[in-house]
Amino acid sequence: MFGFYIALAVFLVVAILLLIFRISRLVNVVKGTGEETTKSDNNFNAIMMVVFMVLFFGLAGWYSFANFDAYDPPVASEHGELTDKLFWRTMWITGIVFMITNILLFVFSYKYRYDKNRKALFYPHNNKLEYLWTGVPAIVLTWLVISGWMAWDGIMSEAPEDAEQIEIMGYQFQWSIRYGGMDNKVGDYDYRLIDAVNDHGMDMSDRANYDDFKNISLVIPKGKPVLLKIRARDVLHSVFIPHMRLKMDAVPGMPTQFWFVANKTTAEMRVEEGNPDFNYELACTEICGEGHFSMKKIVTVLEPEEYEEWKAEQKSWLSKNPDFMAQVPEDMKELALVTAGINE
Amino acid sequence: MATAEAHIDVHAHDDHHDDHHEQSFISKYIFSMDHKMIAKQYLITGIIWAIIGAALSAIFRLQLGFPEADLGWLRPILGKWISAEGALDPEFYLALVTMHGTIMVFFVLTAGLSGTFSNFLIPLQIGARDMASGFMNMLSYWFFFIASVIMLISLFIETGPASGGWVVYPPLSALPQAMSGSGLGMTMWLVAMVFFIASSLLGGINYVSTVINLRTKGMTFSRLPLTIWAFFLTAVIGILSFPVLFAAALLLVFDRSFGTSFYLSEIYIQGEALPNVGGSPILYQHLFWFLGHPEVYIVLLPALGITSEIIATNSRKPIFGYKAMIISMMGITFLSFIVWAHHMFVSGLNPFLGSIFMFLTLIIAVPSAVKVFNYLTTLWKGNIIFTPAMLFSIGLVSVFISGGITGIFLGNSAIDIQLHDTYFVVAHFHLVMGAASSFGLLAGVYHWFPKMFGRMMDTKLGYIHFWLTFIGIYSVFFPMHYIGIAGFPRRYYSFTNFDAFSGFTDLNMFISIAAIATFIGQFIFLFNFFYSIFRGRKAPANPWNSTTLEWTTPRVPGHGNWPGEIPKVYRWPYDYSKPGAEEDFIPQTVPFSQTMESNLPHENDEIALEKEMEAEEIVVVDANKH
Ligand code: HEM
Ligand SMILES: [Cu+2]
Ligand SMILES: [Cu+2]
């Protein structure tokens, strides 16, 4: 019934609008006016240009300042502070250009609205002006490129030797996280070895695997380089930790990586944000199917000492899944037992 | 004198164009080879697609703005994609986003825009009877039609249409196990795109050869209206880049159906390790974006060309920096081929390549900026008439600035780490491409409607339409910048899983309301359009006092465009408000010898050339007589 009333209301509104339209057209025909742009129409549009500009800048300006904290997520990594600086620098420079050009557009539209007593200026070209506004943007952009390039170069450089190695693997629709363990080396894998238990496809003939351990969330130390070794086993995914300003695709068949240094612990951030429930989160930003929007991992940043403590407590994957000892080659069984911390 | 002699001309050769031999309904309206009819076919098909594409976006905006709402009332259209509780299916959400993108980019803003205006305006503005090959032109439309039918049917199949995003990255799009849309829906997507590519190429080759070969006497390249330059360069871009998309699609077909491994490697899915090794998903991305980036300019350049023409006409001023405009369009054309990897900064691409592409990308901002400054200077000290077409053109410049500016953030690879695949990118390309090109399309329709249908559209409705659309577009896309800076990823069905993305529900609601209102506002245009075709006031031959050739045709140009001989061209297309001239425009067909009072010094020199040209013609005509 409700739907019927809505339909009826829509129908009536449309009918009334059509009627108004018909009548105004008939009036136009009688008055002999019509489609040509009349003076009052022209002035109306000219004024609207300015009204629009004022409203637009007013609202955008107000929102940008009033809600700054809502849309500017706090940054928690070293390189993130740098890219944020570049972002806001670019914002200032381009923001000014944005304002000036839009203002000129609307003000010119208003100021030079049609007047039958005036003739437009015949002004076909001016090469000096063209050089000027080719040159100046080119120089400013060069500056932006160079500062961006230097930042990029640093961020994408080789990870330091001592970086904590952590593997993160995306699959529909979860992340799985594996640590290098005592030797700080995530071991080899082969996708053909993947099964329900060995979801990373760890290859037991590589000794680096024996001490590897898994965890359901990403735990990392503050102030120490962390190297994320990123891969995917079914379709593309992408690792995104918004507060760390970190993003890198996870590609099946082509491991990628991203190293960074977190500089605020979860505890510190909870205080800073005044939110005792705050947690860093990791999301997927490459469309990967139905559950794309739900691939969440909690990221916990600990003080380095806390982190070492935590790490020492972790049990190796092999020790939790001793069945896989069967896959370890004969001559390495002894080593595996020791490294994995399996007590007989 | 000049005109009297010209009457003999080559008239004899073109005679058959003039007599209106009866055409059957089918050859006139359906399998037409007349460029104007084909243009209208493209336009109407494009409009239908635009309605469908916008409707899809209205549905997913409902989901984003009102995640709790009961969408049960959509069940009559969406059927099983609405759950028992009235929620939209998350996978169908992705299907909607994918089809919205595909439809808008390819079917509306490529076919609808280039197809309509290149077809309609190239022969009319260069002074040709028709396209170089009317038959190929007809094929081009019908290939597009076949593509449309296939794509449309794919919306309704059991497993749903393609759902991997408009970029359809493999492995997701290659493996039916990965999502149901990657089954039959994806196959149909690929087949439709193959037809689409064939259609684009047939169209593009025709545009290029027509512009090169069929210009009327005196219509040198330096006298071409900027619209034609834009269409010409657009066609060149299309011809060079669409084949690469074809290659990408073909390899994807092989991977999907014939067990090859171009894009697939080391995949374990649904409890099964696939045999494919050695392929690379990144290869697909390179191939796709080698088309994909030029494609955004294929969409944009015609809109810029249309705007140049309309702004000059309605400012009653020559376009400022005609040569600079051409050079920047050529610059954009060239550069558009060497920036594609800026879409792949964090795809695992070699970081060094990332640096190179950052550098090249930011260069392309320069010609874009030059164009904006030239538009502004054209308005300066003009005498501006706000026709609906002019309003949309001014609107285009504004959204082009706003969207272009954010390109500078995204082109900076260090900044793009955070912004990639967030709503910031969505805001960027909807303003700079979506809104700008749609405004170009609408401006073009308002401006050339009188020539297409011989009638005028209603101006008042045009104003209402413009202001609604302009305010609406900004309300939809400007707030997305904030959401993007806050890190919200695109293509998310819902944000409630994450604390980091739990804010902005009010803003998302606002965007959705604005989007749906803007969509409804378009019906004003549709009404105006269809009503005016039949009931609009009869248009004068040259309603905007414009200088270009199309306005020298009769009110409704027939087959062959000009009843007599094709007019000759003596000057560039932007002689508006020339000092000394009586009227505020001098059509391209007026020789300098008749405008002594307004000629610039170097133009007086042209008079001698005009004389020579005519002398030559008489000789030719005499020779033909014998
Ligand atoms: C001022 C010059 C421009 C620069 C520097 C620029 C830069 C970029 C960059 C770097 C991206 C990738 C962002 C990302 O995914 O992380 C991008 C995306 C995009 N740009 Fe631009 N752009 C510019 C102008 C344009 C123009 C003129 C158009 C269209 C006419 C356009 C259309 C697009 C589209 C459609 C996408 C997104 C494609 C997608 O991921 O679905 N851009 N732009
Ligand atoms: Cu995902
Ligand atoms: Cu691009």
Side-chain angles (χ1 to χ4, degrees):
Chain A
M1 209 55 210
F2 184 61
F4 173 74
Y5 284 126
I6 292 189
L8 191 68
V10 170
F11 177 76
L12 281 178
V13 170
V14 171
I16 292 171
L17 287 178
L18 283 178
L19 203 65
I20 296 177
F21 173 74
R22 275 307 291 166
I23 293 172
S24 76
R25 269 183 88 91
L26 287 176
V27 170
N28 274 342
V29 170
V30 173
K31 282 202 296 197
T33 56
E35 274 71 11
E36 74 278 6
T37 312
T38 62
K39 186 154 183 271
S40 64
D41 284 348
N42 217 52
N43 288 343
F44 164 78
N45 283 302
I47 290 166
M48 276 298 285
M49 288 282 167
V50 177
V51 173
F52 177 84
M53 176 182 80
V54 171
L55 277 181
F56 176 37
F57 284 131
L59 280 171
W62 162 74
Y63 198 93
S64 301
F65 286 100
N67 294 286
F68 184 78
D69 291 331
Y71 65 82
D72 179 53
V75 52
S77 68
E78 284 181 1
H79 76 271
E81 305 206 327
L82 182 59
T83 56
D84 267 23
K85 200 171 91 190
L86 292 176
F87 177 88
W88 290 109
R89 179 191 294 166
T90 311
M91 184 67 88
W92 278 112
I93 295 171
T94 58
I96 291 169
V97 178
F98 165 73
M99 294 276 288
I100 294 177
T101 46
N102 262 309
I103 289 175
L104 289 181
L105 179 70
F106 293 121
V107 169
F108 285 174
S109 300
Y110 171 76
K111 191 162 169 209
Y112 301 111
R113 68 192 177 282
Y114 188 75
D115 173 355
K116 67 175 184 304
N117 300 318
R118 196 160 45 87
K119 200 164 181 188
L121 175 72
F122 186 83
Y123 188 50
H125 64 94
N126 177 337
N127 289 349
K128 274 211 196 94
L129 272 179
E130 302 285 359
Y131 290 132
L132 180 76
W133 60 48
T134 308
V136 172
I139 293 169
V140 175
L141 285 170
T142 309
W143 176 48
L144 291 177
V145 173
I146 290 178
S147 53
W149 172 71
M150 291 194 313
W152 173 253
D153 204 42
I155 296 167
M156 292 291 151
S157 58
E158 279 299 315
E161 283 290 313
D162 64 337
E164 280 293 309
Q165 282 202 15
I166 306 173
E167 181 180 67
I168 175 160
M169 183 198 64
Y171 61 96
Q172 289 180 326
F173 295 99
Q174 243 331 318
W175 299 101
S176 177
I177 292 162
R178 173 163 75 119
Y179 284 74
M182 313 284 248
D183 63 356
N184 192 27
K185 236 179 115 190
V186 286
D188 275 351
Y189 60 88
D190 183 328
Y191 82 106
R192 277 165 290 218
L193 296 173
I194 296 176
D195 59 33
V197 184
N198 185 6
D199 61 354
H200 282 247
M202 290 199 258
D203 178 357
M204 286 306 149
S205 62
D206 179 13
R207 56 193 290 174
N209 270 319
Y210 305 152
D211 61 346
D212 289 4
F213 64 87
K214 289 179 49 181
N215 196 49
I216 54 157
S217 70
L218 182 63
V219 179
I220 55 172
K222 172 183 138 180
K224 188 165 182 242
V226 171
L227 171 65
L228 292 183
K229 305 190 79 161
I230 301 167
R231 66 189 178 100
R233 73 174 197 202
D234 40 31
V235 299
L236 294 171
H237 300 274
S238 187
V239 175
F240 178 39
I241 313 178
H243 292 95
M244 303 292 168
R245 310 294 192 258
L246 179 160
K247 187 176 290 139
M248 182 53 73
D249 281 5
V251 185
M254 192 192 89
T256 57
Q257 58 174 52
F258 199 113
W259 76 272
F260 68 109
V261 181
N263 62 5
K264 274 180 208 158
T265 64
T266 300
E268 283 170 340
M269 199 57 127
R270 285 180 177 166
V271 175
E272 189 183 308
E273 288 290 282
N275 174 6
D277 300 324
F278 175 88
N279 270 316
Y280 295 112
E281 288 165 329
L282 184 153
C284 177
T285 49
E286 187 64 69
I287 182 172
C288 56
E290 155 168 67
H292 172 49
F293 67 103
S294 59
M295 286 180 62
K296 175 167 104 164
K297 274 282 171 220
I298 299 287
V299 180
T300 312
V301 183
L302 299 173
E303 292 291 348
E305 313 81 60
E306 291 173 319
Y307 175 77
E308 291 306 329
E309 239 169 73
W310 172 84
K311 201 172 155 185
E313 284 165 13
Q314 301 307 308
K315 297 250 173 338
S316 72
W317 182 85
L318 193 52
S319 71
K320 288 183 175 170
N321 299 282
D323 291 354
F324 282 80
M325 279 302 289
Q327 291 185 10
V328 176
E330 275 315 312
D331 56 333
M332 284 160 79
K333 283 223 155 68
E334 197 72 15
L335 177 76
L337 285 174
V338 178
T339 335
I342 301 177
N343 307 321
E344 269 149 301
Chain B
M1 301 310 97
T3 38
E5 271 138 19
H7 252 290
I8 330 165
D9 196 47
V10 277
H11 203 176
H13 304 278
D14 289 320
D15 261 352
H16 65 278
H17 279 294
D18 303 338
D19 46 23
H20 278 264
H21 45 174
E22 281 304 304
Q23 282 180 306
S24 67
F25 180 84
I26 291 193
S27 68
K28 181 152 182 219
Y29 293 108
I30 300 179
F31 295 109
S32 170
M33 297 197 215
D34 183 277
H35 70 103
K36 299 181 291 301
M37 183 52 68
I38 295 175
K40 289 177 205 171
Q41 293 175 328
Y42 267 113
L43 181 59
I44 305 283
T45 318
I47 287 177
I48 293 170
W49 271 124
I51 299 171
I52 298 173
L56 298 183
S57 74
I59 300 173
F60 67 69
R61 265 328 308 184
L62 275 178
Q63 163 64 27
L64 289 171
F66 308 93
E68 310 289 312
D70 180 354
L71 299 182
W73 55 277
L74 281 170
R75 211 168 280 128
I77 322 173
L78 298 185
K80 65 166 177 158
W81 302 117
I82 303 283
S83 75
E85 296 77 47
L88 187 66
D89 181 78
E91 206 164 297
F92 195 67
Y93 171 85
L94 296 178
L96 288 171
V97 192
T98 303
M99 295 310 282
H100 166 73
T102 307
I103 290 170
M104 288 305 199
V105 171
F106 294 108
F107 290 70
V108 179
L109 294 177
T110 304
L113 185 59
S114 276
T116 304
F117 290 102
S118 299
N119 266 314
F120 191 74
L121 291 179
I122 288 178
L124 283 174
Q125 288 197 329
I126 66 173
R129 297 272 180 218
D130 205 318
M131 282 289 174
S133 164
F135 180 69
M136 264 169 76
N137 213 16
M138 177 187 86
L139 276 188
S140 157
Y141 174 76
W142 286 103
F143 274 17
F144 169 55
F145 187 83
I146 296 173
S148 295
V149 170
I150 298 173
M151 200 59 100
L152 189 68
I153 293 175
S154 84
L155 280 168
F156 298 101
I157 59 178
E158 166 93 44
T159 47
S163 317
W166 79 282
V167 299
V168 295
Y169 282 172
L172 183 61
S173 59
L175 305 172
Q177 331 53 326
M179 72 193 315
S180 70
S182 296
L184 181 61
M186 189 60 211
T187 306
M188 294 178 77
W189 191 96
L190 288 165
V191 174
M193 285 313 292
V194 167
F195 281 104
F196 185 89
I197 293 167
S199 152
S200 279
L201 290 175
L202 286 167
I205 290 169
N206 231 331
Y207 306 150
V208 169
S209 44
T210 307
V211 172
I212 292 180
N213 295 310
L214 297 185
R215 283 164 293 124
T216 182
K217 267 221 167 58
M219 181 60 94
T220 57
F221 269 86
S222 58
R223 284 178 184 160
L224 283 179
L226 286 174
T227 33
I228 303 300
W229 269 106
F231 301 149
F232 177 73
L233 292 171
T234 303
V236 171
I237 300 180
I239 292 170
L240 294 177
S241 63
F242 267 115
V244 180
L245 179 66
F246 180 75
L250 195 64
L251 300 188
L252 189 51
V253 169
F254 286 162
D255 273 9
R256 288 167 54 80
S257 309
F258 304 114
T260 55
S261 310
F262 291 106
Y263 306 135
L264 305 178
S265 185
E266 303 186 25
I267 289 167
Y268 176 90
I269 190 164
Q270 306 262 309
E272 185 197 359
L274 304 185
N276 314 65
V277 285
S280 163
I282 306 290
L283 169 65
Y284 175 85
Q285 297 179 24
H286 279 297
L287 293 175
F288 180 85
W289 287 114
F290 189 88
L291 159 93
H293 186 85
E295 168 64 22
V296 306
Y297 284 95
I298 291 177
V299 165
L300 182 73
L301 280 181
L304 290 179
I306 287 171
T307 302
S308 307
E309 190 64 24
I310 293 174
I311 286 190
T313 304
N314 289 294
S315 304
R316 313 309 296 160
K317 265 188 79 181
I319 191 84
F320 182 78
Y322 174 75
K323 288 239 165 65
M325 288 298 227
I326 294 171
I327 294 170
S328 34
M329 280 199 282
M330 288 175 164
I332 288 174
T333 301
F334 173 69
L335 290 169
S336 73
F337 283 101
I338 50 171
V339 298
W340 77 88
H342 64 213
H343 296 272
M344 303 163 58
F345 284 139
V346 294
S347 64
L349 185 77
N350 182 328
F352 176 69
L353 269 185
S355 316
I356 303 286
F357 277 95
M358 154 159 57
F359 186 67
L360 293 168
T361 296
L362 292 192
I363 298 181
I364 207 171
V366 174
S368 309
V370 169
K371 290 194 74 85
V372 167
F373 295 134
N374 283 336
Y375 287 132
L376 292 177
T377 318
T378 307
L379 291 173
W380 178 68
K381 297 210 169 175
N383 209 6
I384 300 171
I385 302 167
F386 293 106
T387 62
M390 182 63 171
L391 289 170
F392 274 103
S393 300
I394 293 173
L396 182 153
V397 177
S398 175
V399 290
F400 182 57
I401 297 171
S402 309
I405 291 266
T406 46
I408 294 171
F409 294 76
L410 299 170
N412 191 323
S413 53
I415 301 176
D416 188 55
I417 296 172
Q418 174 75 0
L419 297 178
H420 175 66
D421 267 346
T422 66
Y423 269 83
F424 197 85
V425 179
V426 180
H428 161 69
F429 71 78
H430 276 96
L431 285 175
V432 78
M433 177 175 86
S437 305
S438 318
F439 278 25
L441 178 67
L442 291 167
V445 172
Y446 279 110
H447 195 75
W448 280 286
F449 189 90
K451 201 47 35 184
M452 287 184 179
F453 300 102
R455 291 172 188 272
M456 307 293 284
M457 286 178 80
D458 188 83
T459 323
K460 293 248 170 26
L461 287 182
Y463 295 151
I464 300 173
H465 174 223
F466 169 73
W467 286 108
L468 258 177
T469 310
F470 192 43
I471 294 170
I473 284 284
Y474 264 125
S475 307
V476 173
F477 296 114
F478 200 82
M480 286 189 188
H481 292 110
Y482 301 113
I483 296 176
I485 296 171
F488 284 48
R490 63 196 281 207
R491 297 173 179 144
Y492 263 35
Y493 168 74
S494 141
F495 290 105
T496 46
N497 286 307
F498 291 83
D499 289 341
F501 312 138
S502 62
F504 290 114
T505 47
D506 47 349
L507 204 58
N508 263 323
M509 210 185 289
F510 172 78
I511 292 175
S512 295
I513 293 171
I516 292 165
T518 314
F519 174 46
I520 293 172
Q522 301 315 302
F523 285 92
I524 299 178
F525 168 76
L526 289 177
F527 169 75
N528 196 356
F529 182 82
F530 288 108
Y531 180 89
S532 306
I533 289 181
F534 303 105
R535 306 288 300 270
R537 220 184 39 170
K538 289 228 161 92
N542 185 1
W544 322 117
N545 291 337
S546 199
T547 54
T548 38
L549 283 184
E550 75 273 30
W551 306 108
T552 62
T553 60
R555 187 175 76 94
V556 186
H559 197 48
N561 295 340
W562 285 269
E565 24 121 11
I566 302 178
K568 283 196 284 292
V569 164
Y570 297 95
R571 58 178 74 228
W572 78 326
Y574 297 107
D575 267 347
Y576 288 105
S577 300
K578 213 166 180 197
E582 206 170 298
E583 297 252 23
D584 70 352
F585 69 109
I586 309 176
Q588 283 191 280
T589 48
V590 178
F592 289 115
S593 55
Q594 292 179 8
T595 55
M596 298 308 285
E597 66 285 356
S598 66
N599 286 352
L600 303 172
H602 71 271
E603 289 169 347
N604 280 325
D605 305 341
E606 302 252 343
I607 295 176
L609 292 176
E610 281 171 8
K611 292 245 162 65
E612 259 169 52
M613 193 164 105
E614 272 144 28
E616 250 171 54
E617 238 160 56
I618 294 166
V619 175
V620 174
V621 173
D622 283 348
N624 281 347
K625 277 194 189 134
H626 299 150

